[in-house]
Amino acid sequence: MTENRAGTAATKAAEVTPDDNSTETMVSLGDGWEDDNGGSRRPEGGRRPENGAARGVVTAFGQTMKTLRLRAGLDRAEFGSRIGYSASTVASFEQGRRIPTPKAIDCADQELNADGLLRLWKKEVERAQYPVFFQGMAALEREAAELLSYSMPVLNGLLQTEEYMRVLLAMRRPPLDEETIEQRVASRLARQDIFDLRPPPFLNFVLDESILRRLYGGKAALRRQLEHLLLIGQKPNVCIQIMPFDREDNAGVNGPFTVVTRKDGKKFVYAEARGIGSLQTEPEQGVMAAALYAIIRSQALSPRESLEFIEGVLGSL
């Protein structure tokens, strides 16, 4: 890849939100997530909860915030001005219709002298933006020491531009309503905070060549997505590799999957197919998936060759 180019571009079954492919063992990634041994840009008004259980969490948080606000003698307008939101948005938070950002929760806790009471809700409220089946995976991404992803026929959500997200969501059948699309775009963008975590996790993505050539959204949209890949590929903790069409062997023929290794060393395998997400927690499955991924990586182009390959595709558009 040329230096000047590098500088300028670089279980509960439910409808898939993050990436648009299943394994044998399916577990709930909702309320029971922590007991796994036994079994950014966000809209000003926050995000909407995706399911009934999530709405319950958000509603309970909102009622708690309202109680503290009234105890402090503040109306919604005054309280909203202190935390940077309108009175109507504060009402949406209190009624459980919108999900406040972590920053909003921190500000509210401070302004209401809650002594950490509202902050206790932060993780639960934040994961309520995802469908139940993906809440655990979203949390796992934030705890990852290593994430390995093989993608086809679409990009992993962690690599998607906002434009690419909207194009994919608009192609869903039956069609999604506009509000749902906005919610899912916001949640995918929130996941991309993984690139800013400290210490940074090691992230490796193997992409089938077909992803680079599908004109989802048109040539201009694809150009911007490829430029985005080049930029991400410059990060020291990120490797992007391409599995080209001319490979006679591809160990990834069974489809896309992701292996996440948590900081405690435990491995999880996640896959999606036809709008169903599944996750395997058995140690044997994690080891086997990681070994399979190592074979796939060895068959793909090297990271340097891959960035040059992406440049070549970009130049041909």
Side-chain angles (χ1 to χ4, degrees):
M1 190 173 103
T2 59
E3 291 296 325
N4 60 339
R5 169 70 89 177
T8 58
T11 309
K12 291 183 183 180
E15 191 172 31
V16 168
T17 291
D19 313 312
D20 294 316
N21 296 336
S22 122
T23 52
E24 295 176 1
T25 302
M26 300 181 68
V27 299
S28 167
L29 305 188
D31 296 338
W33 169 252
E34 293 303 329
D35 190 22
D36 53 270
N37 289 323
S40 138
R41 206 184 71 174
R42 299 176 175 87
E44 186 271 351
R47 296 138 291 169
R48 293 183 182 275
E50 275 271 353
N51 54 73
R55 282 193 293 272
V57 169
V58 178
T59 297
F61 168 82
Q63 292 172 345
T64 303
M65 187 170 72
K66 180 179 179 179
T67 298
L68 292 172
R69 175 180 63 78
L70 294 175
R71 183 179 299 176
L74 299 173
D75 61 25
R76 285 171 174 164
E78 183 177 358
F79 175 57
S81 68
R82 292 188 181 190
I83 65 172
Y85 292 93
S86 65
S88 62
T89 297
V90 171
S92 294
F93 291 160
E94 293 181 349
Q95 295 164 10
R97 294 183 289 109
R98 292 285 181 180
I99 302 175
T101 64
K103 181 178 179 181
I105 293 175
D106 288 337
C107 291
D109 191 277
Q110 180 178 345
E111 291 297 329
L112 297 175
N113 297 315
D115 297 323
L117 179 60
L118 294 180
R119 289 191 180 99
L120 290 175
W121 291 86
K122 191 155 59 173
K123 286 187 178 180
E124 293 298 321
V125 169
E126 184 174 7
R127 75 177 191 171
Q129 68 187 293
Y130 301 102
V132 170
F133 83 89
F134 195 75
Q135 289 176 359
M137 184 61 182
L140 182 59
E141 286 179 340
R142 293 181 175 275
E143 300 170 2
E146 179 185 66
L147 184 147
L148 311 173
S149 172
Y150 174 61
S151 298
M152 59 88 69
V154 297
L155 280 170
N156 185 300
L158 296 175
L159 296 175
Q160 295 175 9
T161 63
E162 181 175 346
E163 183 178 21
Y164 189 91
M165 295 174 194
R166 293 183 183 280
V167 167
L168 292 184
L169 291 167
M171 290 191 296
R172 300 295 293 274
R173 296 295 183 272
L176 302 176
D177 60 74
E178 189 60 33
E179 184 175 293
T180 299
I181 290 177
E182 291 302 319
Q183 160 64 28
R184 298 188 178 191
V185 167
S187 64
R188 290 192 190 184
L189 290 173
R191 290 173 57 213
Q192 294 181 0
D193 289 348
I194 192 172
F195 293 107
D196 300 316
L197 294 180
R198 292 293 179 270
F202 172 71
L203 307 172
N204 184 279
F205 303 91
V206 176
L207 314 178
D208 189 83
E209 181 182 345
S210 61
I211 294 176
L212 308 181
R213 300 192 182 278
R214 293 184 183 276
L215 294 174
Y216 294 142
K219 286 188 177 181
L222 180 57
R223 285 193 196 98
R224 286 185 284 269
Q225 178 62 73
L226 296 181
E227 289 169 352
H228 183 65
L229 289 177
L230 289 173
L231 287 169
I232 292 179
Q234 303 305 308
K235 294 180 179 292
N237 63 313
V238 177
C239 286
I240 294 177
Q241 296 180 246
I242 304 302
M243 180 69 77
F245 288 146
D246 64 7
R247 288 296 189 259
E248 295 184 2
D249 293 309
N250 179 357
V253 292
N254 284 339
F257 64 97
T258 299
V259 181
V260 179
T261 302
R262 206 162 54 184
K263 291 181 175 66
D264 63 5
K266 184 166 184 177
K267 296 182 185 298
F268 299 81
V269 186
Y270 180 78
E272 298 174 0
R274 299 183 306 279
I276 299 175
S278 67
L279 182 123
Q280 293 184 332
T281 62
E282 297 87 345
E284 179 183 1
Q285 295 299 324
V287 171
M288 291 178 62
L292 173 61
Y293 193 86
I295 297 173
I296 294 173
R297 288 186 62 187
S298 70
Q299 294 171 334
L301 297 175
S302 71
R304 179 182 294 276
E305 292 170 332
S306 296
L307 293 181
E308 292 175 349
F309 191 93
I310 296 172
E311 277 194 316
V313 175
L314 180 60
S316 70
L317 293 175

